[in-house]
Amino acid sequence: YINSSLDYKLKGYIGDKPDSINLTLYSDADFAGCIETAKSTSGVFIALTGPNTFFPLNAISKKQSCVSHSTPEAEIVAADLAIRTEGLPALQLWDMVFERSVKLKFQEDNQATIQILKTSKNPALRHLSRTHRVNISWLCEVFKDLKEVELVYCKSDEQAADILTKAFTNPIKWQAALDLIGIKNVPH
C-alpha cells in the first residue's frame, strides 16, 4: 500500500486571520458493516476551517463495542465518540490558542439522528447507556446548552468522516472522499 500511494499527501492551508477560524467536526457510522460481527464502525474527522482555511487535525476509525440495531443508533454512538474525544477537548485547546471562544460545527448526514439529538426523544434507543455506554441525554445537552457547538446537517457526499467507515470500490467516489479530508495526489 505504501509503495503504491507515495504520491498522496495530506494538505492543509491557513489563509484566514485567527478570528475567522473555527472547528468543523464530522461524525459518521456505517450500519453493521463488519461481515463477521455485524458491528458498526465510527468515523470522526476534525479540522480547522474558515473561508480560506482547511487544516486537518485528527481522524478516528473505530469499531463499535457492540451491535447496533439501526443506523441512527450507530450514528449516535459515533457522535458521542466525536464530541467526547475530539470536539470538546479541541474547543478547550483552540479557545486558549486563539484567546477567544471558538465555534464547533458538528456535521451529521442522517436526519433521524439530528432529530434525536435535538429532542432527546426516542424510546427505542433507551438501551444505549447499557449496551454502548452512551448517555443520549448528555449528548443532547451538549448541542442544546453549549452555544459554541452547532449541530449542522451535511449531505452524505460532503461527509468527510465517511471515508473512515467503509471500503470504496468506485475510484471516482474514493477520490472525492480523499479530497474531503485533504489528501491530494501530488506526483514527485
Side-chain angles (χ1 to χ4, degrees):
Y1 172 79
I2 293 172
N3 191 40
S4 66
S5 62
L6 290 174
D7 291 340
Y8 287 92
K9 310 283 189 250
L10 179 62
K11 296 270 186 177
Y13 53 90
I14 297 182
D16 296 303
K17 295 183 185 212
D19 60 343
S20 297
I21 298 173
N22 287 293
L23 290 162
T24 303
L25 178 62
Y26 295 87
S27 170
D28 198 22
D30 67 350
F31 175 57
C34 180
I35 295 169
E36 294 175 15
T37 65
K39 291 181 181 176
S40 301
T41 301
S42 296
V44 177
F45 180 78
I46 188 168
L48 289 173
T49 56
N52 302 295
T53 297
F54 177 80
F55 197 86
L57 297 173
N58 199 21
I60 298 171
S61 179
K62 183 179 178 187
K63 186 184 281 191
Q64 294 182 359
S65 60
C66 63
V67 175
S68 293
H69 294 91
S70 65
T71 298
E73 180 176 338
E75 294 275 353
I76 286 170
V77 172
D80 181 73
L81 175 69
I83 289 291
R84 277 187 312 101
T85 64
E86 293 298 323
L88 296 181
L91 270 179
Q92 192 169 13
L93 171 68
W94 291 100
D95 280 357
M96 288 177 29
V97 170
F98 290 144
E99 298 178 335
R100 67 174 175 85
S101 181
V102 174
K103 298 283 185 189
L104 174 72
K105 286 189 177 180
F106 181 84
Q107 305 283 333
E108 174 58 55
D109 66 354
N110 184 280
Q111 296 278 11
T113 301
I114 290 172
Q115 191 61 32
I116 293 166
L117 293 174
K118 284 182 176 179
T119 64
S120 77
K121 294 189 181 355
N122 194 320
L125 297 179
R126 64 183 169 265
H127 62 277
L128 275 182
S129 63
R130 185 173 297 244
T131 57
H132 288 283
R133 307 275 192 257
V134 170
N135 187 322
I136 294 178
S137 296
W138 173 82
L139 195 55
C140 293
E141 281 180 10
V142 168
F143 292 114
K144 182 178 151 205
D145 296 343
L146 294 182
K147 63 183 180 305
E148 305 88 9
V149 180
E150 180 183 1
L151 178 59
V152 179
Y153 171 74
C154 75
K155 297 178 189 171
S156 291
D157 60 354
E158 296 171 2
Q159 176 54 270
D162 191 38
I163 194 170
L164 303 163
T165 65
K166 64 177 88 40
F168 286 78
T169 55
N170 180 322
I172 294 169
K173 288 186 178 186
W174 173 246
Q175 188 57 55
L178 289 173
D179 289 343
L180 288 173
I181 61 171
I183 295 181
K184 307 293 181 195
N185 190 345
V186 183
H188 289 62

